[in-house]
Amino acid sequence: AEYMGGHEHYLKIVPTSFTPLRGEPVATYEYTINSNAYQAEAEETPAAKFVWDIWPMEVAVAEHRRPAVEGLCQLVGFLGGVFAFFMGFERLAHTLARVRKANEGKLG
């Protein structure tokens, strides 16, 4: 049997502007491409279909610097979490040691 198929090709274009931390904005485009091949029905004429879609809205991407206070707060929060974890672990180890000593009859 002879291949009687078709192809569909899709192109989506999105206008994009990128503003770096220092410098002028850059206008560019992002795109996605998708292609599909399909088997045509016996009575159908094979065809190639091309579709493109240009978004009417622009995606704006901008770099920005976080304040130092935000980084400091994250660091303090992380260290507090580590401290709380180890304090809980130490409390659990202390309790288990007391239970073990009580079972051995070594508590005074």
Side-chain angles (χ1 to χ4, degrees), residues 6 25 37 49 72 98 103:
K49 180 179 175 182
L72 183 63
R98 285 187 58 114
N103 288 338

mmCIF file of all heavy atoms in Angstrom, residues 6 25 37 49 72 98 103:
data_model
loop_
_atom_site.group_PDB
_atom_site.id
_atom_site.type_symbol
_atom_site.label_atom_id
_atom_site.label_comp_id
_atom_site.label_asym_id
_atom_site.label_seq_id
_atom_site.Cartn_x
_atom_site.Cartn_y
_atom_site.Cartn_z
ATOM 1 N N GLY A 6 -0.697 13.168 5.171
ATOM 2 C CA GLY A 6 -0.567 14.609 5.139
ATOM 3 C C GLY A 6 0.283 15.082 6.299
ATOM 4 O O GLY A 6 0.653 14.306 7.179
ATOM 5 N N PRO A 25 16.146 47.938 27.020
ATOM 6 C CA PRO A 25 15.261 46.796 26.720
ATOM 7 C C PRO A 25 15.551 46.240 25.321
ATOM 8 O O PRO A 25 15.922 46.972 24.407
ATOM 9 C CB PRO A 25 13.861 47.392 26.781
ATOM 10 C CG PRO A 25 13.998 48.677 27.521
ATOM 11 C CD PRO A 25 15.395 49.152 27.297
ATOM 12 N N ALA A 37 2.359 14.321 11.409
ATOM 13 C CA ALA A 37 2.056 13.591 10.182
ATOM 14 C C ALA A 37 0.844 12.709 10.474
ATOM 15 O O ALA A 37 0.693 12.187 11.570
ATOM 16 C CB ALA A 37 3.239 12.732 9.766
ATOM 17 N N LYS A 49 -0.630 21.246 5.706
ATOM 18 C CA LYS A 49 -1.320 22.371 6.331
ATOM 19 C C LYS A 49 -0.302 23.165 7.144
ATOM 20 O O LYS A 49 0.438 22.593 7.936
ATOM 21 C CB LYS A 49 -2.425 21.828 7.230
ATOM 22 C CG LYS A 49 -3.224 22.877 7.940
ATOM 23 C CD LYS A 49 -4.306 22.198 8.780
ATOM 24 C CE LYS A 49 -5.067 23.194 9.609
ATOM 25 N NZ LYS A 49 -6.070 22.543 10.464
ATOM 26 N N LEU A 72 18.735 38.517 54.021
ATOM 27 C CA LEU A 72 19.070 38.364 55.430
ATOM 28 C C LEU A 72 17.940 37.662 56.187
ATOM 29 O O LEU A 72 18.190 36.776 57.005
ATOM 30 C CB LEU A 72 19.358 39.729 56.054
ATOM 31 C CG LEU A 72 19.789 39.728 57.512
ATOM 32 C CD1 LEU A 72 21.113 38.983 57.663
ATOM 33 C CD2 LEU A 72 19.912 41.149 58.022
ATOM 34 N N ARG A 98 17.052 8.707 78.803
ATOM 35 C CA ARG A 98 16.397 8.575 80.119
ATOM 36 C C ARG A 98 15.561 7.297 80.186
ATOM 37 O O ARG A 98 15.558 6.608 81.206
ATOM 38 C CB ARG A 98 15.515 9.792 80.394
ATOM 39 C CG ARG A 98 16.321 11.018 80.752
ATOM 40 C CD ARG A 98 15.370 12.107 81.174
ATOM 41 N NE ARG A 98 14.574 11.635 82.316
ATOM 42 C CZ ARG A 98 14.635 12.134 83.538
ATOM 43 N NH1 ARG A 98 15.457 13.140 83.753
ATOM 44 N NH2 ARG A 98 13.892 11.670 84.505
ATOM 45 N N ASN A 103 14.968 1.803 82.252
ATOM 46 C CA ASN A 103 14.801 0.366 82.029
ATOM 47 C C ASN A 103 15.930 -0.449 82.649
ATOM 48 O O ASN A 103 15.749 -1.593 83.041
ATOM 49 C CB ASN A 103 14.689 0.050 80.534
ATOM 50 C CG ASN A 103 13.374 0.501 79.944
ATOM 51 O OD1 ASN A 103 12.383 0.687 80.676
ATOM 52 N ND2 ASN A 103 13.347 0.678 78.651
#
